[in-house]
Amino acid sequence: MFVPLRTVFLVPFPPSGCLSVTAQTSAPPSTPRPDCCLAPSPAPTASGPAMPGFVPRHISVFPSPQELGSSLAQLVAQRAAESGGRFSLGLSGGSLVRILSQELPAAAALSGPAAPARWVLAFCDERLVPVEDPESTYGAYKTHLLSKISIPENQVVIINPSLPVEEAASDYAEKLKEAFQGENMPVFDLLILGIGPDGHTCSLFPDHPLLQEKEKIVASISDSPKPPPERITLTLPVLNAARTVVFVATGESKAAILKRILEGDEENPLPAALVQPHTGKLHWFLDESAARELTVPFEKHSIL
């Protein structure tokens, strides 16, 4: 079928490896929003004492959360294969639990059933609730994902929810250092992050003192503006030390905040905008509803 001004071709998923079908729509120079751009989009400028230097970012937009999830799972499996051995993965909760639980087991199996045995899995933040509580991120992944993928239990790093919140943070930091063979600063191969409608990521909230934390790798929070109030979270130094960071956002409710994060120039950048890996790669995986207000260039993908 002929589609005017539209070509469809296979391109390697940035930086390489996962194949997707990208539709590039021709548009006149005056069109404010191109549908697709094959080069990483330029980063905006922003000021503020905590703001690290900007790194190139790759914004990928998918027709639906299902197609996004398939490509995300492929990217996880690709990064695991490229690691050549141990693969360290940090996961966030919320809607990511459903997305990854549906897509990741099949993608990981393509590398062989034994591949996940080399994975080290941790969590980017966690609520201080029992594992059985519906609010527990680990509990959700244990039920929906870890029952389908064979990561050894001793390679899944979790908090001790029976401890007071500050002790739980210190305990989790020690567990991470042990899992990362004594490294003072854990360097994850891949972190998968979400964003809240206020621009928070992990349990790092706008205007919170934890945004200025420079020394701790894990911090506690007792006054979370989003319940439950007690949480532990990875800090910005850990997020920005990762080899690859992927933000995932779906739904129209994220459109306005994504525009602020990806196109804004704010004196006090939102927490998600402060994630700028020092030497790693930064990706944004969005569905069309979440990306509807963006005017910066992005790649538009569709999986056949």
Side-chain angles (χ1 to χ4, degrees), residues 12 22 35 50 54 60 65 67 71 80 98 114 116 184 190 193 196 204 211 214 220 229 233 262 265 276 286 294:
T22 299
D35 282 337
F54 279 105
S60 300
E67 290 181 281
S71 284
R98 175 182 52 80
N184 289 327
L190 176 60
L193 307 180
L204 300 170
L211 297 178
K214 300 294 194 301
S220 63
T233 182
L262 295 172
D265 182 8
Q276 299 284 333
L286 315 174
L294 295 183

Side-chain angles (χ1 to χ4, degrees), residues 5-303:
L5 296 180
R6 187 176 178 88
T7 55
V8 180
F9 51 92
L10 288 176
V11 297
F13 202 95
S16 64
C18 299
L19 282 179
S20 64
V21 176
T22 299
Q24 181 171 356
T25 302
S26 301
S30 60
T31 300
R33 179 182 128 174
D35 282 337
C36 172
C37 177
L38 293 182
S41 58
T45 59
S47 59
M51 198 66 179
F54 279 105
V55 297
R57 67 192 182 198
H58 303 268
I59 303 174
S60 300
V61 177
F62 300 86
S64 68
Q66 291 72 29
E67 290 181 281
L68 182 157
S70 178
S71 284
L72 179 63
Q74 290 179 51
L75 182 61
V76 174
Q78 174 193 332
R79 291 292 185 268
E82 290 174 351
S83 70
R86 195 191 74 150
F87 171 63
S88 51
L89 173 65
L91 299 181
S92 302
S95 61
L96 279 168
V97 178
R98 175 182 52 80
I99 291 172
L100 289 169
S101 297
Q102 289 176 348
E103 303 292 346
L104 186 54
L110 295 177
S111 299
R118 299 190 295 270
W119 294 16
V120 174
L121 177 62
F123 301 94
C124 299
D125 69 328
E126 181 61 280
R127 292 98 172 211
L128 196 70
V129 296
V131 172
E132 300 78 16
D133 192 296
E135 293 283 350
S136 170
T137 296
Y138 166 63
Y141 277 111
K142 181 180 180 182
T143 299
H144 299 290
L145 176 64
L146 297 179
S147 59
K148 305 174 187 176
I149 192 168
S150 300
I151 302 176
E153 187 174 346
N154 65 352
Q155 291 169 211
V156 180
V157 187
I158 62 174
I159 72 164
N160 182 347
S162 67
L163 296 174
V165 66
E166 290 186 4
E167 292 181 29
S170 297
D171 178 69
Y172 189 60
E174 290 304 314
K175 289 176 179 176
L176 284 176
K177 289 179 181 179
E178 182 178 348
F180 282 81
Q181 303 170 344
E183 295 177 8
N184 289 327
M185 178 60 65
V187 178
F188 281 86
D189 291 308
L190 176 60
L191 293 176
I192 303 179
L193 307 180
I195 62 165
D198 60 352
H200 84 266
T201 191
C202 301
S203 286
L204 300 170
F205 293 91
D207 301 317
H208 197 279
L210 283 185
L211 297 178
Q212 305 302 324
E213 178 59 56
K214 300 294 194 301
E215 302 298 328
K216 294 180 180 178
I217 62 172
V218 178
S220 63
I221 179 170
S222 301
D223 57 351
S224 168
K226 180 180 178 181
E230 291 191 323
R231 300 161 175 245
I232 64 94
T233 182
L234 298 183
T235 59
L236 283 171
V238 177
L239 304 185
N240 287 327
R243 294 185 176 91
T244 301
V245 175
V246 180
F247 275 100
V248 177
T250 61
E252 189 174 345
S253 64
K254 302 293 176 65
I257 201 67
L258 281 168
K259 187 171 183 65
R260 287 180 61 189
I261 293 168
L262 295 172
E263 299 182 8
D265 182 8
E266 302 188 11
E267 183 177 354
N268 296 309
L270 293 165
L274 294 171
V275 179
Q276 299 284 333
H278 301 310
T279 59
K281 298 178 176 65
L282 178 61
H283 295 272
W284 287 81
F285 276 33
L286 315 174
D287 71 354
E288 289 184 352
S289 295
R292 64 189 304 268
E293 295 188 21
L294 295 183
T295 58
V296 292
F298 56 75
E299 295 182 5
K300 191 170 183 179
H301 297 268
S302 181
I303 308 301

